[in-house]
Amino acid sequence: MQGLTGRFVETVDWVSERLSRIASWCVLVSCAISAGNAMIRYGFNIGSNAWLELQWYLFAVTVFFGAPFLLKVNEHVRVDVLYVLRTGRGKAMTDLLGLIFFFMPVCLAMIHLSINIVTDSWHVQEMSSSAGGLIRWPVKALIPIGFVLLAIQGVVEIIKRVAFLRGTYDMDTHYEKPLQ
Amino acid sequence: MITMGNAAPIMFGCLVVIMLIGFPVAFSLAALGIGFGYLSVALGFFPETFMANLPLRIFGIISNELLLAIPFFTFMGAILERCGLAEDLLEGTGQLFGGVAGGLGFAVIIVGAILGAITGTVAASVIAMGVISLPIMMRYGYDMRFATGVIAASGTITQLIPPSLVLVILADQLGRSVGDMYRAAIGPSMLQVAIFMAYTAALAVLVPKRMPALPAEARTVHGWKLWRQVLWGMVPSVVLIFLVLGTIFMGIATPTEAGALGAVGAIILAALHRRLSWTLVRQAMESTMRLSAMVMFILIGSTVFSLVFQGVDGNVWVEHMLSNLPGGPVGFLIAVNLFVFFLAFFLDFFEIAFIIVPLLAPVADKVLQPLLPPGAPPEAAVIWFGIILCVNMQTSFMHPPFGFALFYLRGIADQIFKNKTIPRPILSKDIYLGSIPWVVMQLMLVGVVIAWPGSVTYWLGAAEKIDLDKASETLRQMGGAATRGGATTLPGASAPAAAPEADPMEEIRRQMQQDADKKK
């Protein structure tokens, strides 16, 4: 793969990689906040809704910024009973059809459906219903943002599969179930 | 043609076909849900506004405080599995039990239970124990079928033994408190360890040459030094387990916070073992991110599927089918367990928990209540059901040829043969045949838990017998927290109808009150 397409693929892969690092950091920060919150509440009997909510705001970042990277490294779990029997080309073909007929429509539908709840939330400047809570639209916006990122990575994965099937790109089609 | 009457069975059939294609589960499920959803809108099964519920459901998932326990418990495990704890534990206990026939087997079972409790991943336990114990067992003439079987089986105890991630997810899906799920799992996990121990002991007596005692020169550490090594490996981990479980049981922290505190404890423990490094924390962070994003996307996909499936009355269809099974409640349990046992060949725990469990739970709630022992609260029926499924799903790691634990073990066996840690390769046949007695024992446990619901409800009831001083102390603190917190959260609480989501502080207090109430 050369030229503009190649550059596009590289750029998107690079961005997804960077976003996944932010996602990893959010795990640590969110965990520290939660532990700190619990100790402070137990020790001093003070609770803060803002800190409580910040934990799951950060977790949402972990999930939605991590997912495109997982797509890139092929770690979204599959039912692999039949999948493992296929050759590299067969796997690439399965992925290609899946990406076009399953993945992209899902991303587009999700973006379409979720954009409304973000704009609604933005217009009324919706706040958390609990006292001292956080403003809602940023975390709601993560849903369409996450699916936009996924869709872009999806386009890149489609390009990779097509190039692989035409023999102009070398990729590892090996799939192993994520450890659990 | 698709009508409202047959839409649900057709959708379920499509689910099976689509999953088998092998495209990532999360997106296959979502695609099926969305495709069927828009089709249903076109056919007039439900209005288009129904689909607008989807983003709200997804928002409901990410704002669910309990699911935050997933990254925290995973993070705790990811740190502990990298800090050499398994090595220390196995070394000590191996030396301690090495002198008797089958001693290494006992060591693996005990260490498997401890590792299972604190690391929470089957892969980590099996890999760590395989790397360390397989070469020793081979060197001293253990039968390889026994060796591989005991390692794989002890690794899978992880699923059941609290504090386990699996139980958190089941609690969420079944709508019960995590504390209750943990209490309920205590009995069965002790039984599981006991059954494994009894089997090993019986074999050691009947055929000692399959698992000989280590010769004296292999046992280099003795006396006080040995005990110190064992205690040094064991005490901090056991303390950590009890801290995590204790804070949940006593209502001091929510399960989510207990997970976060556990992760902090894990970092301290790694530092105690002088293995804390920046690389370790970074690796743990990254693997936690990967697992969390994967699991949450399966949950998002299943939610899309379930919403539409309920929209076409799928839950009514399933309930109708299941409540007409012959044999009443017992027939229901047997059928469901066979079904889940079979599904577990193909699906992971997460997929079963997110897709199948929510369909079965309401039926179980109705059908199983009469089978509970007298005195058990009616909400225990679903908890009991969840534990049965949890025990059942352990087997999915163990049955040849797809079982995950066997697969990890296969990988480990090849690896240690290649780097010449073991003199001869371990045959796949031995790994597969070796697993069979252990799968049978796990299935026996399913039978025991079905036949004896008391094994689950005993500890649920036991919570009430906890000594009263401690309970009233906790209650006083809870009361204090409640009045103090009440002032700050009142505005939100005063308008519950207007509030689309629960006040998180309120939620925490409710959960803790629930746990505290048990002790009254």
Side-chain angles (χ1 to χ4, degrees):
Chain A
M1 249 188 302
Q2 295 141 349
L4 221 54
T5 330
R7 288 260 295 284
F8 174 64
V9 169
E10 276 169 28
T11 315
V12 172
D13 279 355
W14 184 84
V15 171
S16 291
E17 171 103 37
R18 289 300 137 122
L19 288 177
S20 83
R21 288 196 203 163
I22 300 179
S24 302
W25 270 100
C26 288
V27 171
L28 187 68
V29 177
S30 165
C31 190
I33 292 177
S34 182
N37 222 15
M39 286 191 268
I40 290 172
R41 200 192 52 232
Y42 188 64
F44 306 99
N45 245 330
I46 329 171
S48 150
N49 282 322
W51 288 103
L52 274 177
E53 290 181 4
L54 189 58
Q55 292 166 32
W56 59 261
Y57 275 45
L58 289 169
F59 184 46
V61 175
T62 301
V63 172
F64 286 110
F65 280 16
F69 175 71
L70 283 198
L71 188 68
K72 171 180 177 279
V73 295
N74 196 8
E75 276 195 19
H76 280 290
V77 70
R78 304 163 185 265
V79 175
D80 62 353
V81 191
L82 300 178
Y83 189 76
V84 286
L85 304 176
R86 297 187 191 124
T87 59
R89 285 187 71 82
K91 284 178 186 159
M93 203 63 205
T94 312
D95 286 355
L96 185 60
L97 295 176
L99 283 163
I100 294 172
F101 293 107
F102 293 169
F103 183 85
M104 295 310 281
V106 166
C107 290
L108 298 178
M110 284 300 187
I111 297 166
H112 169 73
L113 288 169
S114 61
I115 208 95
N116 286 331
I117 66 165
V118 183
T119 46
D120 287 353
S121 178
W122 164 267
H123 279 307
V124 298
Q125 290 290 303
E126 181 196 2
M127 295 297 291
S128 155
S129 58
S130 29
L134 302 172
I135 191 155
R136 275 285 177 266
W137 68 263
V139 69
K140 289 193 169 167
L142 276 171
I143 302 173
I145 291 174
F147 280 101
V148 166
L149 292 170
L150 271 170
I152 297 173
Q153 186 69 46
V155 170
V156 164
E157 295 305 314
I158 291 174
I159 296 174
K160 286 182 192 166
R161 299 305 189 281
V162 171
F164 174 77
L165 289 169
R166 290 166 62 188
T168 55
Y169 177 73
D170 192 29
M171 67 179 289
D172 184 15
T173 55
H174 177 71
Y175 169 75
E176 211 161 88
K177 280 210 170 190
L179 296 188
Q180 47 177 269
Chain B
M1 258 329 278
I2 300 184
T3 64
M4 189 66 182
N6 65 17
I10 291 177
M11 194 175 172
F12 199 80
C14 290
L15 171 74
V16 177
V17 175
I18 281 184
M19 296 281 262
L20 283 175
I21 294 175
F23 193 69
V25 172
F27 305 109
S28 306
L29 281 168
L32 180 61
I34 284 176
F36 237 86
Y38 281 117
L39 185 69
S40 305
V41 171
L43 293 175
F45 297 161
F46 44 69
E48 199 174 348
T49 46
F50 188 80
M51 297 298 279
N53 286 322
L54 271 181
L56 294 176
R57 286 286 183 101
I58 294 176
F59 182 69
I61 295 172
I62 56 177
S63 60
N64 181 340
E65 213 244 347
L66 179 58
L67 293 174
L68 262 175
I70 296 175
F72 296 166
F73 276 109
T74 311
F75 190 50
M76 166 178 161
I79 288 175
L80 290 173
E81 72 188 47
R82 285 174 175 79
C83 73
L85 204 70
E87 288 84 343
D88 290 356
L89 281 170
L90 274 174
E91 194 114 321
T93 40
Q95 294 274 332
L96 190 64
F97 290 103
V100 296
L104 292 177
F106 295 125
V108 165
I109 296 171
I110 292 172
V111 173
I114 295 178
L115 281 182
I118 57 179
T119 66
T121 47
V122 174
S125 300
V126 172
I127 292 171
M129 296 198 297
V131 169
I132 302 157
S133 297
L134 266 183
I136 308 177
M137 288 174 149
M138 186 177 254
R139 192 178 321 141
Y140 295 109
Y142 268 60
D143 176 40
M144 273 303 111
R145 287 184 192 170
F146 171 77
T148 52
V150 73
I151 291 172
S154 305
T156 54
I157 300 180
T158 303
Q159 296 269 303
L160 182 62
I161 206 159
S164 127
L165 195 58
V166 166
L167 294 171
V168 174
I169 288 174
L170 279 175
D172 176 59
Q173 294 294 316
L174 296 171
R176 293 294 178 265
S177 87
V178 174
D180 278 348
M181 287 306 283
Y182 282 173
R183 282 191 197 94
I186 295 175
S189 45
M190 289 194 328
L191 278 174
Q192 180 82 90
V193 172
I195 293 175
F196 286 174
M197 292 286 231
Y199 174 73
T200 308
L203 278 188
V205 172
L206 296 174
V207 273
K209 64 175 190 302
R210 285 181 67 190
M211 48 198 82
L214 299 195
E217 68 268 19
R219 288 177 282 125
T220 48
V221 198
H222 295 281
W224 170 235
K225 212 172 151 228
L226 173 58
W227 279 104
R228 215 183 56 181
Q229 195 184 355
V230 172
L231 291 177
W232 175 239
M234 219 168 270
V235 170
S237 354
V238 173
V239 168
L240 188 61
I241 298 171
F242 280 101
L243 274 181
V244 171
L245 287 180
T247 47
I248 298 175
F249 287 166
M250 299 196 311
I252 295 173
T254 63
T256 307
E257 289 168 336
L261 290 169
V264 172
I267 292 177
I268 296 172
L269 210 144
L272 280 180
H273 281 77
R274 306 231 164 81
R275 291 208 178 86
L276 185 64
S277 70
W278 177 232
T279 326
L280 182 143
V281 176
R282 229 192 33 221
Q283 284 175 347
M285 258 158 54
E286 198 186 310
S287 68
T288 306
M289 176 272 291
R290 288 176 181 218
L291 187 105
S292 315
M294 178 194 97
V295 172
M296 292 300 278
F297 262 84
I298 301 177
L299 182 53
I300 290 175
S302 329
T303 305
V304 176
F305 172 83
S306 308
L307 182 76
V308 174
F309 192 62
Q310 280 166 20
V312 297
D313 284 345
N315 45 347
V316 180
W317 172 64
V318 171
E319 198 178 323
H320 181 74
M321 211 164 50
L322 288 175
S323 35
N324 288 339
L325 287 170
V330 178
F332 165 79
L333 274 179
I334 292 173
V336 164
N337 273 289
L338 283 175
F339 178 59
V340 168
F341 178 75
F342 174 74
L343 273 186
F345 276 92
F346 308 99
L347 298 185
D348 288 339
F349 162 75
F350 295 117
E351 288 134 37
I352 297 180
F354 293 145
I355 309 169
I356 308 296
V357 169
L359 293 176
L360 299 178
V363 191
D365 194 19
K366 268 186 229 159
V367 176
L368 297 183
Q369 284 188 14
L371 292 185
L372 287 174
E379 54 296 354
V382 176
I383 297 176
W384 176 42
F385 181 65
I387 299 292
I388 295 173
L389 291 188
C390 186
V391 180
N392 188 337
M393 280 188 271
Q394 281 191 101
T395 59
S396 72
F397 282 87
M398 284 293 289
H399 43 50
F402 303 119
F404 247 151
L406 306 183
F407 176 74
Y408 302 140
L409 207 56
R410 171 79 273 157
I412 287 304
D414 292 345
Q415 198 188 324
I416 55 180
F417 174 65
K418 247 182 242 155
N419 64 24
K420 302 208 168 51
T421 319
I422 50 174
R424 55 179 195 280
I426 293 171
L427 304 175
S428 289
K429 195 180 72 177
D430 282 343
I431 296 183
Y432 292 157
L433 290 177
S435 73
I436 291 170
W438 305 89
V439 175
V440 172
M441 278 184 272
Q442 287 174 332
L443 290 177
M444 270 166 54
L445 186 66
V446 177
V448 170
V449 177
I450 289 179
W452 181 30
S455 63
V456 169
T457 54
Y458 176 79
W459 292 90
L460 285 176
E464 290 157 22
K465 293 182 215 124
I466 284 181
D467 84 273
L468 274 167
D469 288 345
K470 202 177 273 172
S472 57
E473 169 67 13
T474 322
L475 267 178
R476 240 200 345 271
Q477 284 168 358
M478 291 302 98
T483 34
R484 186 82 62 92
T488 56
T489 49
L490 217 83
S494 63
E501 39 198 275
D503 182 319
M505 280 297 286
E506 206 59 57
E507 180 64 16
I508 287 186
R509 231 180 10 251
R510 195 186 54 75
Q511 282 176 16
M512 298 204 299
Q513 202 63 50
Q514 246 178 22
D515 278 319
D517 282 345
K518 288 196 189 324
K519 296 180 198 100
K520 270 182 201 158

